[in-house]
Amino acid sequence: MVSKFVTISLCMITLNEEEFIGKSLKHIRPYVDEIIIVDGGSKDKTVEIAKKYGAKIIRRPFKHDFAKQRNISLKYATKDWIFVADPDEVQEKALLESLQFFAHNNIGIDMFAFPRKNYIDGKQTSAYPDRQMRFFQNNHKIKYKGIIHEKPEGYNLIASPVKLHIIHRKTSKRQAKQNQLYDKIGKMQERK
């Protein structure tokens, strides 16, 4: 447990992330008080690795709805603020070190968005600043909407510090697999 002005829950959703999750959790663990992971049915060592970092694992089959998985993770978060991360992301240390400051000095702001730098095969993509809403008060009003590219709703005021980044690294193979999944989900929605 980390002693801070406010407590922070890390909320993450996973599905076969053994290649990335260890690095992500190792990096963020010192800055949060609990780790909540909703696992969609991993067949690899994702859950085993997450448990090494003290994560509370909620197993929920992934039914092609990212917002639903995220909202389940929020339901289990017990701390004052929530930080949402993906297993293939690493946050700049300065961002993580600033979370306490943002929470303690928020002046009514209940949502913070951070620019994300995306890399595919080591090359930064043109998708910048790609702001991600990731740090917010655990007030039970904020919920995710959107089956794909889900976004939180229900916040009052948002701030977006520009010099603190989330780093997102993928391979072209992983990106292609992700695009196939998004296409599949999109076609399923069209049929409804």
Side-chain angles (χ1 to χ4, degrees):
M1 237 8 141
V2 181
S3 176
K4 302 174 185 169
F5 292 113
V6 299
T7 55
I8 300 172
S9 299
L10 169 65
C11 289
M12 184 181 283
I13 60 175
T14 59
L15 181 61
N16 298 321
E17 299 288 352
E18 70 179 1
E19 183 180 349
F20 304 98
I21 195 167
K23 182 177 181 181
S24 181
L25 293 181
K26 180 180 180 182
H27 189 70
I28 198 170
R29 182 66 188 112
Y31 302 94
V32 299
D33 298 282
E34 72 178 353
I35 299 172
I36 307 295
I37 292 181
V38 175
D39 185 74
S42 292
K43 305 268 190 253
D44 62 6
K45 295 181 180 179
T46 297
V47 170
E48 181 182 323
I49 294 166
K51 284 182 177 178
K52 289 179 183 177
Y53 292 92
K56 178 175 184 176
I57 309 296
I58 295 91
R59 296 176 191 262
R60 291 290 188 282
F62 178 62
K63 296 185 178 177
H64 303 101
D65 186 333
F66 289 94
K68 185 173 184 178
Q69 294 294 91
R70 294 254 189 236
N71 288 332
I72 291 169
S73 73
L74 302 185
K75 179 180 164 189
Y76 284 89
T78 64
K79 305 306 177 188
D80 303 319
W81 283 71
I82 294 172
F83 188 78
V84 174
D86 287 339
D88 58 354
E89 294 174 339
V90 175
Q91 299 72 27
E92 290 178 341
K93 187 174 182 182
L95 185 157
L96 295 171
E97 289 174 342
S98 298
L99 295 179
Q100 281 296 315
F101 175 81
F102 294 141
H104 194 65
N105 300 288
N106 62 63
I107 317 168
I109 295 166
D110 57 351
M111 173 68 71
F112 290 88
F114 303 99
R116 183 170 69 174
K117 293 180 180 178
N118 295 289
Y119 294 86
I120 297 178
D121 296 332
K123 295 178 183 175
Q124 187 171 351
T125 71
S126 60
Y128 182 81
D130 186 23
R131 296 198 193 289
Q132 299 291 312
M133 294 181 277
R134 295 297 183 84
F135 188 53
F136 49 90
Q137 287 182 336
N138 188 5
N139 60 18
H140 305 291
K141 295 177 188 172
I142 298 172
K143 301 288 181 210
Y144 278 85
K145 298 273 177 144
I147 292 170
I148 303 174
H149 305 302
E150 68 285 1
K151 299 281 184 218
E153 295 182 350
Y155 55 90
N156 293 316
L157 291 172
I158 188 168
S160 186
V162 295
K163 294 186 178 181
L164 304 170
H165 294 91
I166 297 169
I167 310 300
H168 189 218
R169 298 186 188 278
K170 294 189 211 180
T171 62
S172 51
K173 181 179 177 182
R174 182 177 172 87
Q175 183 64 50
K177 188 175 179 181
Q178 185 177 19
N179 290 343
Q180 287 176 342
L181 175 62
Y182 290 164
D183 288 345
K184 179 181 177 182
I185 294 171
K187 288 174 183 171
M188 290 169 63
Q189 292 304 309
E190 288 173 8
R191 284 188 230 126
K192 286 186 176 182

